[in-house]
Amino acid sequence: ISDAENWFCECHKLYSGKLCQFLSCDENPCGNGATCFPKSKQDAVCLCPYGRSGILCEDAVNIMQPSFSGTDVFGYTSFLAYSAIPNITFYYEFHLKLQLANRHSALKDNLIFFTGQKGKGLNGDDFLVLGLRNGRVVYSYNLGSGTASIISKPLDLTLNIHVIQLGRSLQKGWLKVDDQKNKSVTSPGRLVGLNVFSQFYVGGYREYTPELLPKGSRFKNSFQGCIFDIQVRMDKNQEFKSPGTPEGHPNDGRSVGQCQDSPCSLIKCRNGGKCVESGSTLYCDCLSGWKGAFCTETMSICDPEHNPPHLCKQGGTCVPLPNGYVCHCPLGTTGTYCEQG
């Protein structure tokens, strides 16, 4: 669009600059390996990696009991990824504790942990998965010749913390939830070894596309609440240990907070803005007319985010006035909004 000497590009929503070359994440303000998400042209949200918190993920946070927020409004999930658990081919036992974020969405269809082949083979990929479905705990595994599943009774929601124990020896698996009776299952087919090479994902995984996972291991949502004290052993005579190398340390993670902590207590959104938290990620959701990390900047009536948007057409430049705005029309157009030729 040209206006005699002054030409400029009309940019798509999340781009800016004379050549529409800037995205709010190009000059990435987020620190420490955070995922930057362009909330608007001027504003980015930083989705913090494991162990970091704050608007720009600049604060270190010590996580003893990880809390997961499920899928955030940008479509990213909170998760932890530990190195692949060694030697679980023929035998394993897991113990863990859960605290649900709420009784509604946290019980719908949520992944607790997963390790597997992520859909590589044709007829049944090896995997091990634990999740929640309609208020019950679901434990499934496939050794390559068909899926075995155990579904618990509905969880007793008067309990604040749920304790889950599960295991497998060759084809035979078992699950015990809280004080419910132990349930067992035998996997179909003839194969007896679990061959999985992926990392051990807790709460969700990096790119949350359930369709990419083997059938039988797909949970629509990631976990909402706290998962802690995960312990595993690969032999009846071994001690239980935390996953990870070094022990208890994840390789990777995103938007994971400390259970019971509210990162929003650390910041103040101004001018009626609301602090939104998603695990360790937080940002201010501003009221109409305000923008910026803490909602401290006034939004001009000519800003692209202003609602309703200005009505200047055909490349007319919006110029704010004390009450309203006026359109400066490029050559060859006229009218209040440059709508006429």
Side-chain angles (χ1 to χ4, degrees), residues 38-284:
K39 187 167 73 139
S40 71
K41 238 168 152 173
Q42 284 90 356
D43 286 341
V45 171
C46 303
L47 309 177
C48 298
Y50 177 75
R52 291 278 165 184
S53 182
I55 291 247
L56 299 176
C57 306
E58 69 280 23
D59 308 325
V61 34
N62 185 20
I63 295 173
M64 306 302 287
Q65 296 187 339
S67 80
F68 300 85
S69 47
T71 309
D72 62 30
V73 290
F74 310 112
Y76 286 93
T77 55
S78 53
F79 75 94
L80 288 178
Y82 293 91
S83 49
I85 295 177
N87 313 326
I88 58 171
T89 315
F90 301 116
Y91 185 93
Y92 57 73
E93 277 182 80
F94 286 91
H95 288 178
L96 63 144
K97 294 183 185 139
L98 304 179
Q99 197 166 7
L100 300 171
N102 57 64
R103 293 178 178 190
H104 177 61
S105 59
L107 288 168
K108 277 279 183 352
D109 195 40
N110 308 76
L111 180 81
I112 299 170
F113 69 58
F114 169 84
T115 180
Q117 299 320 65
K118 298 197 108 180
K120 293 246 172 27
L122 294 170
N123 53 353
D125 305 287
D126 288 26
F127 67 79
L128 160 63
V129 72
L130 183 70
L132 292 168
R133 199 165 276 145
N134 301 327
R136 298 165 185 261
V137 176
V138 179
Y139 159 42
S140 301
Y141 57 92
N142 186 342
L143 309 179
S145 54
T147 301
S149 276
I150 304 177
I151 300 173
S152 77
K153 286 185 172 155
L155 289 174
D156 173 355
L157 296 177
T158 61
L159 297 172
N160 186 23
I161 290 177
H162 301 280
V163 179
I164 301 177
Q165 301 177 32
L166 59 103
R168 193 194 109 253
S169 175
L170 303 178
Q171 288 180 294
K172 191 175 156 97
W174 55 270
L175 169 72
K176 180 160 173 49
V177 175
D178 297 330
D179 51 7
Q180 297 180 15
K181 269 211 192 87
N182 196 342
K183 290 180 120 175
S184 60
V185 70
T186 302
S187 58
R190 308 178 60 173
L191 298 176
V192 296
L194 176 72
N195 299 299
V196 292
F197 309 106
S198 83
Q199 296 189 96
F200 180 67
Y201 291 94
V202 176
Y205 42 93
R206 179 168 280 289
E207 60 312 316
Y208 204 78
T209 317
E211 292 68 35
L212 294 179
L213 291 195
K215 276 199 171 68
S217 69
R218 295 174 185 174
F219 285 84
K220 285 207 286 288
N221 310 302
S222 52
F223 187 78
Q224 291 177 300
C226 305
I227 301 175
F228 47 96
D229 296 353
I230 297 187
Q231 301 274 294
V232 59
R233 68 178 177 186
M234 286 70 87
D235 189 307
K236 259 200 171 83
N237 308 316
Q238 261 183 9
E239 299 266 298
F240 275 95
K241 277 183 155 162
S242 302
T245 324
E247 194 188 330
H249 289 264
N251 298 344
D252 194 8
R254 178 176 53 224
S255 298
V256 172
Q258 166 67 352
C259 201
Q260 310 290 16
D261 266 10
S262 164
C264 276
S265 60
L266 307 172
I267 69 157
K268 191 150 178 48
C269 304
R270 308 284 172 182
N271 302 306
K274 192 162 125 268
C275 178
V276 179
E277 57 183 72
S278 177
S280 61
T281 294
L282 64 157
Y283 62 94
C284 291

